[in-house]
């Protein structure tokens, strides 16, 4: 059974820093790896989806990488802003768009 | 969360009571999902449906029931058998039930509290 772990659970950084969020998964037979953002008390918003055949995806200041062989994905946020403060969740898709979620990283960017 | 509505935003349940959470979508998506989120944790799958009149149990289906009579609607009932129902409940949809390329789209959630 797929297990997804995110480290760290919480992170606080000053505005402007570049930062990396980590995601690891136990079953490398994934279709894709997805990153979501969740604001407090809200639903999830999809940020990036990396297919199993891809190494990375970029959207604006966000870059996500995937290493299937080591069971790892990272989300890189460049030049962080207070508006980036949220919880970031990764999810592994093993079959039929069934997602297994990590516990999330709660990010706070201080002005 | 455009196109997916969940109601109510907050729901209070009394001891021994069944309550129903609504999820409606106008995205014409085939698949719909229900997740539970506990504080500081990720999402766990309760039930999912890939087609009308069919649904499957997820990882934590005990104490919950669903129906899928219409493509647009996938209500979740939290029964009295669910002893710890306090959580944030999220409904999601996706265009096709089995695909490698599509993400899931989430509603705004319902917070269930026990009185």
């Amino acid at each position: 059974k797929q297990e997804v772990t995110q480290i760290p659970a919480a992170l606080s950084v000053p505005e402007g820093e570049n930062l990396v969020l980590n995601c690891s998964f136990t079953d490398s037979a994934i279709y894709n790896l997805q990153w979501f953002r969740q604001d407090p008390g809200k639903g999830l918003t999809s940020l990036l989806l990396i297919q199993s055949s891809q190494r990375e995806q970029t959207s604006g200041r966000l870059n996500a990488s995937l290493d299937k062989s080591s069971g790892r994905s990272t989300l890189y946020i460049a030049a962080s802003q207070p508006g980036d403060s949220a919880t970031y969740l990764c999810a592994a898709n093993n079959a039929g768009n069934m997602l297994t979620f990590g516990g999330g990283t709660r990010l706070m960017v201080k002005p | 969360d455009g196109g997916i509505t969940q109601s109510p935003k907050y729901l209070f349940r009394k001891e021994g009571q069944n309550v129903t959470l609504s999820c409606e979508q106008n995205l014409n998506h085939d698949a719909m999902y229900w997740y539970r989120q506990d504080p500081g944790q990720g999402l766990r799958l309760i039930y999912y449906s890939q087609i009308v009149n069919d649904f499957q149990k997820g990882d934590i289906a005990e104490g919950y029931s669903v129906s899928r009579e219409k493509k647009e609607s996938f209500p979740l009932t939290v029964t009295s058998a669910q002893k710890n129902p306090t959580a944030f409940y999220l409904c999601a949809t996706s265009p096709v039930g089995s695909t490698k390329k599509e993400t899931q789209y989430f509603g705004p959630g319902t917070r269930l509290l026990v009185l």
Side-chain angles (χ1 to χ4, degrees):
Chain A
K1 182 183 176 183
Q2 179 72 273
E3 294 183 4
V4 179
T5 304
Q6 291 187 247
I7 296 174
L11 183 63
S12 180
V13 300
E15 181 177 3
E17 270 203 10
N18 301 325
L19 56 98
V20 174
L21 307 182
N22 296 294
C23 172
S24 61
F25 47 94
T26 56
D27 183 354
S28 62
I30 61 171
Y31 287 158
N32 59 58
L33 191 290
Q34 302 184 28
W35 284 92
F36 293 87
R37 169 181 172 141
Q38 184 178 31
D39 292 296
K42 305 291 186 183
L44 277 65
T45 300
S46 179
L47 296 173
L48 290 165
L49 185 154
I50 314 173
Q51 299 293 350
S52 61
S53 58
Q54 296 175 320
R55 296 284 292 182
E56 63 180 305
Q57 279 286 329
T58 298
S59 176
R61 294 182 294 107
L62 304 180
N63 175 277
S65 67
L66 175 64
D67 184 344
K68 274 182 54 178
S69 61
S70 65
R72 294 181 182 180
S73 177
T74 61
L75 179 66
Y76 176 83
I77 302 177
S80 59
Q81 303 171 357
D84 295 330
S85 298
T87 296
Y88 292 82
L89 295 138
C90 70
N93 179 358
N94 279 87
N97 209 12
M98 304 305 298
L99 300 181
T100 302
F101 284 85
T105 294
R106 190 171 64 254
L107 173 65
M108 177 169 289
V109 181
K110 298 180 178 179
Chain B
D1 37 288
I4 304 172
T5 57
Q6 290 188 240
S7 62
K9 186 173 182 179
Y10 297 96
L11 185 58
F12 299 92
R13 193 190 91 161
K14 296 179 181 178
E15 199 74 33
Q17 184 181 40
N18 293 351
V19 292
T20 297
L21 285 63
S22 169
C23 178
E24 303 279 334
Q25 57 112 350
N26 62 6
L27 301 173
N28 199 34
H29 287 173
D30 292 302
M32 298 187 73
Y33 311 81
W34 273 106
Y35 293 94
R36 169 180 173 141
Q37 186 177 33
D38 292 284
Q41 298 188 29
L43 280 65
R44 293 182 291 169
L45 183 65
I46 304 172
Y47 268 98
Y48 65 99
S49 168
Q50 298 185 350
I51 195 169
V52 174
N53 292 322
D54 186 56
F55 49 82
Q56 305 296 328
K57 293 182 179 180
D59 297 323
I60 55 167
E62 185 174 351
Y64 300 97
S65 66
V66 294
S67 62
R68 187 85 187 275
E69 297 177 359
K70 300 185 301 181
K71 187 176 185 178
E72 301 79 14
S73 178
F74 191 39
L76 173 73
T77 296
V78 184
T79 74
S80 58
Q82 174 49 245
K83 299 306 180 187
N84 185 23
T86 297
F88 190 51
Y89 291 85
L90 287 159
C91 175
T93 71
S94 66
V96 182
S98 66
T99 174
K100 301 180 182 182
K101 298 185 178 180
E102 289 289 350
T103 187
Q104 292 183 13
Y105 300 83
F106 284 80
T110 291
R111 187 165 300 280
L112 176 60
L113 300 168
V114 177
L115 294 178

